[in-house]
Amino acid sequence: MVLLSTLALLGLTLGVGASAGSRSACTSFAPRGLSRIVSLSATTHYAANTNVNISNTYSSIDVSNLPGFCRVELAITTNATAGSKALTEVWLPDDWNGRVLTVGNGGLAGGVTVTELGHVAVPQGFAGISTNTGHDGDTDEGAWAGPHDDNAIVDWGWRALHLSVLAGKEVVEHYYGRPANKSYYLGCSTGTLKEVQDFPDDFDGVVVGSPANWQTHLQAWSIHMNLNTQPSTSPHFMTQDTWTNVLAPEVMRQCDELDGLKDGIINDPRICNFRPETLTCRPGQNTSTCLTADQIGALRRIYADYYEADQSYVFGGYYPGGETKYYSGLVGQKQFDIGIGYFGYMVLNDTNFKIHDYNATVLQLSDEINPGQANAINPNLTAFAGPSHKGKLLQYVGWADQLISPGNTLHYYESVHEFTLANTTMDIDDYYRLFLVPGMNHCHGGYAANSFGAVEQASNDNPPLSFDPEHNILAAIVRWVEEDVAPANLTAVNYNDNDVGNGVGFTRPLCQYPATIKYAGGDPNSADSFYCA
């Protein structure tokens, strides 16, 4: 296929020499000298363009267009005393570009992310690594954590990923006969800022989207957001129809043109002072077409930062522009299972926990416990980015994220910026760059230029427009690490109905924060009609 040929060329031109694998090398692979915690479970070779149909409780792939690769399945002992293990896979392309790429997970998931190993890592020539984080389960399932299974929670919080990266690198070196030249990470949601902060040598370059790096506060915020509209029989609840057909049009009426272009996208929702009061029900009006005082009060809380009574900051809020997706996020009829599982199984050890049991004392307790040591909020990245390692970090988030407030990304970035200025002579632009994506939902989707080579995009029929560093964020981090060419912006694409098969809808630049997208005039469907300022 043309795309695969392009990707193979990309891997070779950006690499420092490719190495080859084969069916015989794969089927006979029996490395000696791996760390004692690593055991080889199976090896399977897939020839180019044969069917790859693999699934687990979290992730699946069923395609017939991949290049040849060797699938290596591992069991890694994470705690010998407890007898706990993590399942890890390393996918080794026959035409290797000399690099390793680890892909992340999401939510509370326990499953190797085979989807992204197949849609991102192997097609671009990377040896791919992924782990089940020490348990099997889908994104929302928390029962595996106990209650009282602190060992499993630590595996999920950081240990399984860190040990898998180390083991994966060993496997790569044994298989190809030489170590990887560089190590990269690509993930969204349950990301790897923990690795950047605590294990800076694991990766040379990291791309992380909308990270769930402040778990104790993220899960508290998710319950807080639920409580703003729950129960669904309450006067402050709003139906999906209200969100989609009443709120969304009014938000666009008030704010769409503030950026100079009426296009259904709010480029910077921070300048949108949305006034829900304009939708107040008049006497005798059908309440399905307007808002009550209780609903307006709920919206004021939903769009605001979350502070506790003592004025301590907890988390950001929703931003105007994602109303068509917010109902299916945290403010709909369904309560958020991840938050319920987190507090029930990881904090309180109470399997009967309900959202109305949440209060400030529960938040304080979760901060004290920090289940699994999963919080990754240390602003000091000097070990990763300083002269001894020179690591690079690219971060992105959609302004219309329905699961993790973009305010969390901004809060962390600014904390690192402040620390860097106050405690080092470094320039944050030399190692950490942030891109905000107008209109994009959590990791992907939304009415937006939402395709730029990150995870969950190509696997949802939204590949980057090109695999060069201007359009593909993975190629951008590679070029920054290996050639010291930092991305000032990216060009993202929207496909009609979010499906590459329907053709290109429009392209837009993604601007390096704090710059935002400005319309210069001309064809609104072309990125050339916009600039960053």
Side-chain angles (χ1 to χ4, degrees):
M1 294 179 65
V2 174
L3 287 181
L4 292 179
S5 298
T6 303
L7 290 168
L9 288 171
L10 174 72
L12 292 171
T13 57
L14 287 182
V16 290
S19 293
S22 65
R23 176 178 293 278
S24 60
C26 180
T27 56
S28 63
F29 185 54
R32 296 181 179 180
L34 292 178
S35 297
R36 58 185 177 80
I37 66 170
V38 182
S39 61
L40 181 67
S41 302
T43 61
T44 308
H45 187 268
Y46 293 87
N49 300 318
T50 57
N51 182 240
V52 178
N53 187 350
I54 302 170
S55 63
N56 56 55
T57 53
Y58 167 61
S59 180
S60 64
I61 187 169
D62 185 2
V63 297
S64 300
N65 60 353
L66 296 184
F69 71 97
C70 178
R71 178 194 183 196
V72 176
E73 299 172 72
L74 306 172
I76 299 174
T77 301
T78 58
N79 185 325
T81 302
S84 59
K85 295 183 183 296
L87 303 182
T88 298
E89 295 193 20
V90 186
W91 289 20
L92 304 161
D94 290 352
D95 295 316
W96 182 44
N97 66 13
R99 308 180 185 95
V100 167
L101 177 68
T102 301
V103 295
N105 304 73
L108 304 177
V112 171
T113 313
V114 295
T115 306
E116 304 308 324
L117 289 175
H119 282 279
V120 178
V122 166
Q124 298 186 57
F126 292 84
I129 301 170
S130 181
T131 175
N132 76 339
T133 71
H135 71 277
D136 294 321
D138 64 23
T139 305
D140 299 340
E141 174 58 48
W144 55 266
H148 297 295
D149 195 345
D150 293 339
N151 193 63
I153 298 170
V154 170
D155 280 348
W156 165 80
W158 64 269
R159 188 168 55 195
L161 176 60
H162 174 58
L163 295 178
S164 294
V165 172
L166 299 181
K169 288 180 178 180
E170 284 190 68
V171 167
V172 166
E173 182 172 3
H174 279 272
Y175 187 76
Y176 292 113
R178 65 180 178 89
N181 300 307
K182 296 293 180 181
S183 173
Y184 296 93
Y185 176 90
L186 186 69
C188 186
S189 199
T190 305
T192 190
L193 289 177
K194 185 74 173 177
E195 294 277 308
V196 171
Q197 294 163 20
D198 292 0
F199 306 103
D201 292 333
D202 281 4
F203 303 116
D204 300 290
V206 167
V207 178
V208 59
S210 191
N213 62 300
W214 202 358
Q215 284 285 349
T216 56
H217 283 219
L218 167 61
Q219 303 310 333
W221 173 73
S222 72
I223 300 299
H224 164 78
M225 294 291 275
N226 275 184
L227 290 170
N228 284 323
T229 57
Q230 289 285 335
S232 58
T233 55
S234 69
H236 47 267
F237 180 76
M238 287 159 281
T239 65
Q240 185 170 15
D241 182 73
T242 298
W243 279 98
T244 302
N245 297 317
V246 179
L247 279 166
E250 180 63 11
V251 168
M252 288 299 158
R253 186 190 70 80
Q254 292 186 26
C255 298
D256 186 9
E257 293 184 77
L258 293 177
D259 53 25
L261 180 65
K262 185 178 182 180
D263 60 351
I265 301 173
I266 302 173
N267 285 340
D268 186 353
R270 293 172 298 179
I271 67 174
C272 172
N273 181 25
F274 173 54
R275 297 173 55 240
E277 291 82 1
T278 59
L279 294 170
T280 302
C281 292
R282 304 299 297 270
Q285 185 175 356
N286 183 339
T287 55
S288 68
T289 64
C290 55
L291 298 175
T292 66
D294 285 326
Q295 292 170 327
I296 291 170
L299 287 169
R300 284 295 182 194
R301 295 186 295 274
I302 287 167
Y303 288 111
D305 287 348
Y306 172 25
Y307 286 84
E308 266 304 333
D310 63 356
Q311 294 305 300
S312 60
Y313 175 80
V314 181
F315 219 68
Y318 274 170
Y319 287 81
E323 287 69 29
T324 59
K325 194 68 172 180
Y326 289 160
Y327 182 89
S328 61
L330 301 174
V331 293
Q333 186 172 11
K334 186 179 184 298
Q335 297 180 2
F336 192 55
D337 290 337
I338 293 177
I340 294 171
Y342 181 85
F343 287 108
Y345 290 100
M346 297 189 188
V347 177
L348 297 172
N349 294 319
D350 177 5
T351 58
N352 294 315
F353 174 82
K354 303 292 189 295
I355 63 171
H356 288 88
D357 296 325
Y358 171 78
N359 54 45
T361 302
V362 174
L363 170 58
Q364 181 180 2
L365 179 62
S366 66
D367 272 337
E368 292 171 358
I369 296 172
N370 184 15
Q373 299 91 54
N375 277 353
I377 55 177
N378 185 354
N380 182 1
L381 303 185
T382 53
F384 172 75
S388 64
H389 186 64
K390 297 182 180 180
K392 308 298 184 186
L393 172 61
L394 293 178
Q395 188 169 337
Y396 64 91
V397 67
W399 274 122
D401 195 314
Q402 77 279 19
L403 296 180
I404 302 178
S405 170
N408 176 62
T409 285
L410 293 172
H411 184 271
Y412 181 69
Y413 176 88
E414 293 294 6
S415 72
V416 175
H417 192 195
E418 178 185 2
F419 180 92
T420 302
L421 290 172
N423 298 279
T424 78
T425 59
M426 299 167 61
D427 185 337
I428 194 170
D429 283 350
D430 291 338
Y431 71 91
Y432 185 5
R433 296 192 173 202
L434 169 62
F435 297 85
L436 292 118
V437 187
M440 189 175 80
N441 300 143
H442 187 60
C443 300
H444 67 100
Y447 184 65
N450 52 28
S451 305
F452 46 91
V455 294
E456 300 184 40
Q457 295 179 1
S459 54
N460 283 288
D461 300 317
N462 286 275
L465 190 62
S466 167
F467 294 95
D468 62 47
E470 285 73 33
H471 298 85
N472 179 12
I473 198 168
L474 179 55
I477 192 68
V478 168
R479 184 166 67 171
W480 194 10
V481 168
E482 299 180 16
E483 301 176 27
D484 200 26
V485 179
N489 54 63
L490 300 165
T491 299
V493 61
N494 169 274
Y495 296 106
N496 292 310
D497 298 321
N498 284 328
D499 187 335
V500 64
N502 295 326
V504 172
F506 55 87
T507 57
R508 293 284 165 85
L510 303 182
C511 300
Q512 180 194 343
Y513 177 81
T516 58
I517 302 173
K518 306 292 184 181
Y519 179 53
D523 181 3
N525 293 325
S526 171
D528 294 335
S529 300
F530 299 82
Y531 64 98
C532 297

